[in-house]
Amino acid sequence: GKFMLLRDTRTDGSFLVHHFLSFYLRAGCKVCFVALLQSFSHYSIVAQKLGVNLAAAKEQGQLVFLESLKSCLDLLFGEEEQPGQPSPLQFLSGSTCDLRALFDFVQVSLTPCARDSWKGLVLLVDDLSVLLSLGAAPVAVLDFIHYCRVSVCCQLQGNVVVLVHSSEDSEDEENELVVNSLCHHSDLILWAEGLATGFCKDVHGQMKIIKRLSLRQAAEQDLVQIYQYKIQDRNVTFFARGLSAAVL
């Protein structure tokens, strides 16, 4: 029942999404993946490198994949994916301003049935900032995440993993409002940051791991750990600051 926030600044944190997707599928969990950024083929190619077959997981019912790029086109050009059923991205049509249809999609996808034997339930969103770019209001996005936390984390005892982009000097006040609000409600924050010194071939960025102990016990202080990392073809190497191959 944890809510995990993946946050990136001055870098691309999508490698974290690929890690959690392959990790939960290998662990035997059922995953509802709301892919707002890339196509199914993109995630499938990366997952193959990590030893996971997304197409097979989808056929077996372990992976429920919302390909938002295709859903947007179907909605805008008047083609229903399943006749009689509203699109999860119904708010794009202007008929509604909330994300109830998207929440209903998540709830239906993760509601367990009698024959299910999954070891856990997971909602994965990549990336939440896209909803704001598509015209959803910050309040609607935060309401959507709130109801997902109540449904998935509290009622179903599953996990929610969400990626958001942020920028310390951004003029996008709506996005920063959403990011800051999500940080206050997260059990764990994985914050990928680009190096302030610029590009380095041996160090691709810095990872700040924030365990929100204060969320559970008011008197506790959050535990913060900082590592540097290098992204390789099939994995990511983490090391303490100053201990990269460039230094040693």
Side-chain angles (χ1 to χ4, degrees):
K2 302 292 184 183
F3 176 65
M4 289 176 277
L5 181 67
L6 313 179
R7 180 178 180 181
D8 62 22
T9 306
R10 301 190 310 274
T11 190
D12 183 8
S14 59
F15 69 94
L16 293 169
V17 174
H18 296 299
H19 160 73
F20 279 106
L21 177 60
S22 59
F23 170 77
Y24 282 121
L25 289 177
R26 279 199 299 263
C29 298
K30 183 172 184 178
V31 179
C32 175
F33 189 12
V34 178
L36 297 165
L37 197 61
Q38 300 284 358
S39 64
F40 178 79
S41 59
H42 169 81
Y43 295 105
S44 182
I45 290 170
V46 178
Q48 281 185 338
K49 289 185 177 182
L50 300 177
V52 175
N53 189 329
L54 293 193
K58 196 175 175 183
E59 288 178 8
Q60 294 165 5
Q62 185 183 10
L63 173 65
V64 180
F65 189 92
L66 174 60
E67 190 166 5
S68 299
L69 295 175
K70 183 177 182 300
S71 295
C72 286
L73 290 175
D74 291 341
L75 185 67
L76 294 175
F77 289 102
E79 298 179 12
E80 294 187 27
E81 296 176 10
Q82 295 182 3
Q85 293 188 3
S87 167
L89 302 179
Q90 196 67 37
F91 73 96
L92 286 174
S93 65
S95 59
T96 179
C97 60
D98 58 36
L99 300 176
R100 176 181 288 273
L102 184 57
F103 170 70
D104 289 341
F105 171 82
V106 171
Q107 196 171 35
V108 170
S109 301
L110 291 179
T111 298
C113 60
R115 63 179 184 276
D116 283 347
S117 58
W118 308 116
K119 295 181 180 178
L121 300 171
V122 180
L123 168 62
L124 184 59
V125 182
D126 179 26
D127 82 69
L128 201 65
S129 305
V130 174
L131 288 176
L132 294 172
S133 301
L134 291 174
V139 173
V141 173
L142 291 174
D143 282 346
F144 166 69
I145 292 297
H146 170 72
Y147 283 110
C148 286
R149 285 177 56 228
V150 171
S151 177
V152 180
C153 297
C154 300
Q155 296 176 354
L156 300 176
Q157 288 299 298
N159 292 337
V160 176
V161 183
V162 174
L163 173 70
V164 289
H165 295 300
S166 69
S167 177
E168 290 148 353
D169 55 353
S170 172
E171 296 181 359
D172 190 347
E173 296 179 358
E174 291 188 344
N175 187 74
E176 294 309 300
L177 173 67
V178 170
V179 172
N180 292 330
S181 179
L182 293 178
C183 285
H184 285 297
H185 295 96
S186 303
D187 295 285
L188 177 68
I189 303 172
L190 301 182
W191 189 352
E193 299 176 283
L195 296 176
T197 53
F199 174 77
C200 175
K201 68 174 185 177
D202 293 303
V203 184
H204 291 158
Q206 171 177 287
M207 177 69 68
K208 186 182 294 183
I209 304 171
I210 306 172
K211 296 180 181 178
R212 298 292 316 288
L213 302 180
S214 60
L215 197 64
R216 301 296 179 187
Q217 298 179 350
E220 293 287 338
Q221 285 190 334
D222 294 342
L223 179 62
V224 181
Q225 297 171 295
I226 299 178
Y227 298 94
Q228 290 181 333
Y229 64 86
K230 179 180 181 181
I231 301 175
Q232 297 168 322
D233 191 39
R234 296 177 185 271
N235 57 16
V236 181
T237 304
F238 289 89
F239 39 84
R241 287 181 290 184
L243 295 181
S244 69
V247 177
L248 300 178

